[in-house]
Each structure stands twice: as structure tokens, then as C-alpha cells.
């Protein structure tokens, strides 16, 4: 399966939803069960990753369990080159463009490129932009998070990513953020961008998912909410609101 093609075809029809599962947050059987429930609730693809404690072992096992539990494409959402799994279909080959550390901008990518090739993982290029509060990923990635009211910087970073040839741009408020990326920032970035825009961090209600979609997000990511949600109808409501 060509995952990028699959995503672009779905996005051409409307906003899509990504379920993000962190291998460090649950055991493998549970990861498989969540992926299956998310698939039944209408999610479009499973992203696998986390900012800390992703090991080759928990990544390999989680990716395999998810693959066995559902038919959706899987995309590795890496936190570095130390763990990369051939059990995923593809990898967001991404750069944290507002990091202050070249390691997160190009260093890990250089370490990982030959491994990605060897594993025959489909690389999907993505510009990753951290917005306040930024949370753990902003801290670990030594980001200079974009201020929530600094819409112009978000637009400049996003367009720079497109001009550098990245296929997707991701505005990230950070997992568990108390406030998602502001809709006015999503709207302004979407207006200037020709490549699909992914938005995530702190989205855990149908209202927040709908606000991101209406502002122009092409893909809405939920991680913490899906991992913690035990009620299938709550899960469906958030995914439905993201997709419209
Ligand atoms: C983090 O944007 C994702 O990379 C998901 O964030 O866990 O807050 O949904 P949440």
C-alpha cells in the first residue's frame, strides 16, 4: 500500500482523523484493542510514536499488534533514529523546524535515512512545527514554540516547509496540551499552504475536533483522548466531529 497516496485521496474528500498510539502508554494487547476500536469508530490511519521511552522492542511489538488488530495503514511518528520499526507501513520523515537543536532538524534524519531505506519503510516528508504550550515534545525537542498569538510566524514556518518540499505540515500544541492550536492560526496557515495541514495536541472533545476541521485542518490527530476513552460512543463522536 502507498500510504501517502491513500492519505491524499482521503483528504481530497474531506478532513481525516489520525489515532496516535504511544508504545510506552499501554501494553501491546491494549494497543491492538484501541486500534481496532478506533478503526470501527472511523479513524483513517494509526500513527505510532511518543516523545519518551519508545524502544525498539516496545515499538516493534506495538506496531505488530496494531497491524494484526486492524486493516488501517500505520505511520511511525518517530522521536529519533534510535528506534525505527519495519513493522510499520510508513514513517513521517519529519523535521522539527522550530527546534534550536540541529539534531532534531536534520541530525536524527541523517542517522535514520539508510535504516528507513533498508527496512523498505515508505517515507512521508513532514514539517513539524511546535506551538505553545508545546508540552513534552517541545521540551525534549528544545523547540522555540510559536506563541499562540504569533500567527505570522506559524505561516512563515509552514510555507518554508512547503517550499523545502515537505509533503505535509503539522501544527503541534503537544500531547496533553490544555489548549489546542488556536483556530485562527490553523485558518491563516491553511490559507497560505498548498500541502495538507495536520493539527494535533490537546484535542479531546467533539467541539475541539470540529473547530480544528472548520478552521481548515486536513487531518486531526488525537492521542491521549483515544488512549483513555472507554466509551465507544464518545470515541465515535470525536472522530465524527473531526471528519464532519
Ligand atoms: C501529540 O498531537 C499529538 O503529538 C496528540 O496530542 O495526546 O493531546 O491528543 P494529544
Amino acid at each position: 500500500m502507498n500510504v501517502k497516496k491513500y492519505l491524499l485521496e482521503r483528504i481530497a474528500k474531506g478532513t481525516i482523523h489520525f489515532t496516535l498510539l504511544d508504545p510506552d502508554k499501554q501494553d501491546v494487547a491494549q494497543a491492538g484493542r484501541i486500534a481496532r476500536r478506533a478503526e470501527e469508530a472511523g479513524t483513517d490511519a494509526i500513527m505510532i510514536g511518543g516523545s519518551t521511552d519508545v524502544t525498539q522492542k516496545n515499538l516493534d511489538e506495538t506496531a505488530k499488534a496494531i497491524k494484526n488488530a486492524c486493516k488501517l495503514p500505520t505511520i511511525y511518528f518517530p522521536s529519533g533514529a534510535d528506534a525505527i520499526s519495519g513493522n510499520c507501513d510508513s514513517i513521517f520523515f519529519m523535521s522539527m523546524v522550530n527546534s534550536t537543536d540541529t539534531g532534531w532538524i536534520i541530525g536524527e534524519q541523517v542517522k535514520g535515512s539508510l535504516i528507513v531505506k533498508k527496512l523498505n519503510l515508505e517515507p512521508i516528508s513532514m514539517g513539524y512545527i511546535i506551538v505553545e504550550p508545546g508540552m513534552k515534545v517541545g521540551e525534549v525537542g528544545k523547540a522555540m514554540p510559536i506563541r499562540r498569538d504569533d500567527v505570522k510566524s506559524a505561516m512563515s514556518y509552514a510555507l518554508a516547509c512547503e517550499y523545502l518540499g515537505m509533503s505535509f505540515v503539522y501544527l503541534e500544541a503537544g500531547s496533553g496540551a490544555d489548549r489546542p492550536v488556536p483556530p485562527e492560526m490553523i485558518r491563516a496557515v491553511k490559507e497560505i499552504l498548498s500541502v495538507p495541514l495536520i493539527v494535533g495536541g490537546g484535542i479531546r472533545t467533539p467541539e475541539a475536533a470540529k473547530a480544528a476541521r472548520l478552521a481548515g485542518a486536513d487531518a486531526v490527530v488525537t492521542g491521549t483522548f483515544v488512549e483513555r476513552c472507554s466509551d465507544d460512543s464518545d470515541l465515535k463522536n470525536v472522530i465524527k466531529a473531526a471528519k464532519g
Side-chain angles (χ1 to χ4, degrees), residues 26 31 49 75 82 91 109 149 173 185 189 208-209 213 228 234:
Q26 65 279 299
I75 310 164
D82 287 344
I91 177 171
Q109 297 78 351
D149 62 358
M185 183 180 279
V189 168
R213 170 173 56 82
R228 292 184 186 165
D234 286 349

Side-chain angles (χ1 to χ4, degrees), residues 20 77 128 170 172 174-177 200-203 221-224:
L20 172 63
F77 181 49
Y128 191 49
Y170 190 146
E172 169 72 275
S175 185
I203 296 173
V221 183
T222 58
T224 310

